[in-house]
Amino acid sequence: MKIFKKIITAALVLGIAGGAAACGNSAGTSATSGQTNTGTVSASSGIASNTNADSKSAKKTVKIAYLPITHALPVFVENELQDKAGNNYEIELVKYGSWPELMDALNTGHVDGASVLIELAMKAREQGIGIKAVALGHKDGNVVVVSNKINGIKDLKGKTFAIPHRQSSHNILLNQMLKNEGMSISDIKVVELAPPEMPAALASGQIDGYSVAEPFGAKSVAINSGKVLFESNELWEDSICCSLVFTDNFINNNKEIAQKVAANYSEAGKFIGSNKEKADEIAKKYLKLDDKVLDLSMKWISYDDLAITQEAYEDLSKKVVEFGISKTPPTFEDFVDPSLLK
């Protein structure tokens, strides 16, 4: 399968500039790649404030990389709800503007873990990089968005469709959608495009459809420049997309802390499902979303059970092989460490 990279520089229109903001400033950090985010909201919200410098110096700092997307919400929630007085660690979130930048930081050990496209982490493991997946980022929560002129899959023949990266569940969803209609990837033109650029590219007619992490699908729907052709669960039930991963070095040298971070991350997922108002407040802080976009985005996604099962992982592995994304994905035993959630 050939993927052609295309840079689209259309001006942001119809208020889509918020998409760039989602990969720009969040919670008071600059848009520069690798900027950290450890800010908290007021103590009145029930979230602990910073401890003093002496207390902080005794704690293990756990650096977790992320892109500002809805799919990373559990790491945002864990960061805000972490017990800074009681924990022997402190999370430091490090924001990146693209998947290649994030993976470079992860692969070279500049961060301890990341919320990342699971296929990218699988590929790194396949290439010998010491990375283990410990939990899902979410379940479902992706959509196929097309221009209002597209009424069915066959209308995409000869058209341009964007995905964020070849190593992504969005690529799998695209291939599965085409396969279901008796089509193949050769029937369309596929481009890789940065997520924040996709809504503007669709609105300006430079692409005809896309699939990407939220909230960028919801942005097009919210301003009526695009519509949902499929939700991910219609193409691939309980699909895996993003995951929380740690480096082998971090796990081996900090097993107890790794377990605590993973367990609190899982609890953060459950918190999202049962505390909508607070979860929305945290999402807005990191993603700068208006209510309409956030409500749409959260409608499609679930965070309640973030354990990676062997059955779901093996289904993912079959799909990455079937659609030419990977020839030899790592086995469940080699790549997934479910013990950290116990």
Side-chain angles (χ1 to χ4, degrees):
M1 177 178 58
K2 295 182 179 179
I3 303 290
F4 298 94
K5 191 162 186 176
K6 179 178 178 183
I7 300 176
I8 296 181
T9 57
L12 298 179
V13 294
L14 300 176
I16 303 176
C23 267
N25 295 341
S26 68
T29 63
S30 86
T32 304
S33 298
Q35 291 298 302
T36 58
N37 184 334
T38 56
T40 58
V41 298
S42 66
S44 62
S45 67
I47 298 170
S49 60
N50 287 326
T51 57
N52 60 43
D54 289 339
S55 176
K56 286 177 69 177
S57 65
K59 297 176 182 291
K60 166 67 178 177
T61 297
V62 182
K63 293 185 177 182
I64 299 180
Y66 75 98
L67 262 61
I69 55 178
T70 315
H71 296 178
L73 184 54
V75 299
F76 307 152
V77 171
E78 180 176 5
N79 185 50
E80 295 294 334
L81 300 182
Q82 61 183 310
D83 180 2
K84 293 186 176 180
N87 285 342
N88 60 346
Y89 70 89
E90 183 170 83
I91 293 173
E92 179 180 308
L93 296 185
V94 188
K95 181 176 66 176
Y96 290 88
S98 70
W99 292 121
E101 290 173 330
L102 181 148
M103 286 305 299
D104 182 63
L106 184 64
N107 293 346
T108 56
H110 283 82
V111 293
D112 301 304
S115 176
V116 64
L117 292 171
I118 194 169
E119 293 86 357
L120 280 173
M122 290 167 68
K123 190 65 177 178
R125 187 74 186 188
E126 183 182 340
Q127 295 172 340
I129 304 296
I131 296 174
K132 285 282 183 72
V134 298
L136 297 175
H138 57 93
K139 285 186 176 178
D140 296 318
N142 290 297
V143 292
V144 174
V145 176
V146 295
S147 76
N148 293 316
K149 297 178 182 179
I150 302 294
N151 295 311
I153 301 172
K154 289 192 180 299
D155 292 340
L156 286 170
K157 189 168 185 178
K159 300 294 195 299
T160 302
F161 193 95
I163 56 175
H165 200 283
R166 182 176 183 271
Q167 303 287 337
S168 69
S169 293
H170 311 98
N171 194 7
I172 294 175
L173 292 170
L174 171 60
N175 275 273
Q176 187 66 59
M177 177 182 72
L178 294 170
K179 178 184 176 182
N180 291 349
E181 193 66 22
M183 298 170 63
S184 73
I185 205 75
S186 62
D187 290 317
I188 63 175
K189 182 179 181 181
V190 181
V191 297
E192 291 182 14
L193 194 61
E197 296 179 16
M198 292 188 187
L202 184 71
S204 65
Q206 295 189 58
I207 60 175
D208 303 284
Y210 64 89
S211 183
V212 71
E214 283 302 306
F216 301 108
K219 284 180 176 291
S220 289
V221 176
I223 61 172
N224 298 315
S225 65
K227 60 187 178 183
V228 175
L229 192 59
F230 289 102
E231 294 182 29
S232 55
N233 62 297
E234 297 176 289
L235 300 169
W236 176 15
E237 190 174 357
D238 290 332
S239 58
I240 294 179
C241 176
C242 295
S243 65
L244 176 68
V245 303
F246 292 144
T247 65
D248 286 353
N249 182 64
F250 172 68
I251 295 173
N252 294 337
N253 294 316
N254 306 275
K255 187 65 178 283
E256 181 182 348
I257 289 177
Q259 288 177 322
K260 287 183 179 179
V261 174
N264 288 336
Y265 173 89
S266 178
E267 289 302 311
K270 296 174 184 177
F271 179 92
I272 294 169
S274 57
N275 297 271
K276 183 181 184 305
E277 184 176 344
K278 178 58 65 176
D280 284 358
E281 176 189 337
I282 294 172
K284 288 177 183 178
K285 174 180 176 180
Y286 286 82
L287 302 176
K288 309 298 182 185
L289 301 177
D290 62 38
D291 288 338
K292 185 174 183 180
V293 171
L294 179 60
D295 287 345
L296 270 174
S297 186
M298 294 295 287
K299 183 180 72 173
W300 300 323
I301 196 167
S302 169
Y303 302 95
D304 292 338
D305 182 4
L306 300 181
I308 304 175
T309 67
Q310 184 163 355
E311 180 182 9
Y313 180 76
E314 290 179 351
D315 182 41
L316 168 64
S317 296
K318 290 177 183 177
K319 290 184 183 299
V320 298
V321 172
E322 177 184 359
F323 296 127
I325 295 171
S326 174
K327 291 183 179 180
T328 55
T331 63
F332 179 85
E333 292 75 15
D334 185 47
F335 179 64
V336 180
D337 189 347
S339 70
L340 294 181
L341 284 183
K342 294 181 180 179

